[in-house]
Amino acid sequence: METIITHSGQFPSTRLRRPRLQDWSRRLVREHLLTPADLIWPVFVREGDGKPEAVETLPGVFRHSIADLAREAKQAYDLGIPAIAIFPRIDQADKDEDGTTARNPDNLVCRAVRAVRDAVPEIGIITDVALDPFTTHGHDGVIRDGMVANDETVAILTEQALVQAQAGASIIAPSDMMDGRIGAIRKMLDAHGHDNVLIMSYAAKYASAFYGPFRDAVGAGKTAGNVGKDTYQMDPANSDEAMREIELDIQEGADFVMVKPGMPYLDIIQRASQRFNVPVFAYQVSGEYAMIEAAAAAGGLDRDRIIAEALMSFRRAGCRGILTYHAKEMAQRLND
Ligand code: PBG
């Protein structure tokens, strides 16, 4: 007997492929978007007026002179990127045990902020609060009795935040993971009339090996102090604790919170975005960037597509924006 194919139930009446068949309908049902406004560009600055210096472990990333940085910031802003995050490579001569230069109103970061503010008045400028680029041992705080001293570090960080705000920073971003620093910094800023300066806290920052290339970029990598950041950064095994960290930072006055690293911690980003009513940001860190570049260079992957796909994963997980070293390139492509 001849078999006649009918719609008698042996074929599905619900076909999820239907809206996938055309470009217009794929666009119509798309749940998440990535735009240049979702991107924050982390940039490295160095002393002197030399040419951009390649960061060996981060192909395509450079340490810029202040003048170049101002030009780069202008280009980023023109591409629709709302904000940049400035990280300094401090000369060895300006480092000491206590990271004293961090509090100097004429340090590299403050001079870079003033130059960018001058060149691109409308751009958001994010500055990192932590001592690691400034200390000879590479820790985020001062060392007393063999450990990073919390409260003394917090007092120093409030001064670091203040000089950055005075230089014209729009967002203070403490990445040190000391207890109580958000409240202390908020108080310091407000006491000096900087009540409109925002705070983006690195609230859930994990003790991660994915920061390796960054430490190379800022020259904080190969020092003896490189071990032991797990006495202040979070244990990668913990998730509930991240919620406590974030909750505390919000109570202390954080406007925005951040989860870092990004892609290995998408579960944390999703939990945080669902639970808290503040904008959550993710930092796709140096090691994530390096992995993508290395994999693409090794062949077999479509570089442009994996960059876009990785960034979309953050939006799908629920975060508001992403700090990424691919920001400028991605914004360029989104505009084309
Ligand atoms: C320093 C700081 C780090 C990063 C941002 N701020 C490194 C660290 O904590 O050791 C990492 C960024 C990256 O890897 O891209 N407090």
Side-chain angles (χ1 to χ4, degrees), residues 42 44 58 87 128-133 138-140 173-177 202 205-206 208 210-215 218 220 226 229 232-233 260-261 283-289 325:
F44 297 105
L58 292 171
F87 296 96
D128 199 71
V129 168
L131 299 184
D132 55 315
H139 272 294
D140 290 26
S175 70
D176 55 286
M177 288 299 277
Y202 287 67
K205 175 172 177 178
Y206 286 86
S208 172
F210 283 95
Y211 308 148
F214 173 93
R215 291 179 189 164
V218 301
N226 203 21
K229 286 212 175 192
Y232 42 102
Q233 298 176 348
K260 176 185 175 193
Y283 198 144
Q284 183 190 48
V285 300
S286 55
E288 299 175 64
Y289 174 94
Y325 300 98

Side-chain angles (χ1 to χ4, degrees), residues 216-254:
D216 172 34
V218 301
K222 284 155 191 92
T223 48
N226 203 21
V227 286
K229 286 212 175 192
D230 45 6
T231 62
Y232 42 102
Q233 298 176 348
M234 277 190 55
D235 185 338
N238 295 353
S239 172
D240 289 346
E241 188 189 342
M243 300 304 110
R244 292 188 73 194
E245 282 284 3
I246 293 169
E247 192 167 19
L248 264 176
D249 284 2
I250 295 169
Q251 279 168 11
E252 289 179 29

Side-chain angles (χ1 to χ4, degrees), residues 73-107:
K74 174 84 172 83
Q75 288 170 14
Y77 189 74
D78 290 343
L79 289 169
I81 294 173
I84 61 168
I86 298 177
F87 296 96
R89 184 191 180 101
I90 301 299
D91 284 347
Q92 207 57 37
D94 293 330
K95 297 188 187 189
D96 61 20
E97 281 281 303
D98 287 357
T100 311
T101 300
R103 296 175 255 174
N104 183 335
D106 284 315
N107 68 21

Side-chain angles (χ1 to χ4, degrees), residues 109-173:
V109 175
C110 293
R111 281 180 278 125
V113 169
R114 286 194 287 267
V116 172
R117 181 55 70 229
D118 228 42
V120 204
E122 309 84 5
I123 201 168
I125 303 176
I126 302 174
T127 50
D128 199 71
V129 168
L131 299 184
D132 55 315
F134 303 93
T135 52
T136 40
H137 46 72
H139 272 294
D140 290 26
V142 295
I143 297 178
R144 302 286 181 258
D145 303 323
M147 62 179 271
V148 174
N150 193 88
D151 299 5
E152 191 178 342
T153 297
V154 169
I156 294 171
L157 297 178
T158 61
E159 291 179 35
Q160 181 183 18
L162 181 60
V163 297
Q164 293 173 351
Q166 285 166 341
S170 336
I171 302 183
I172 301 296

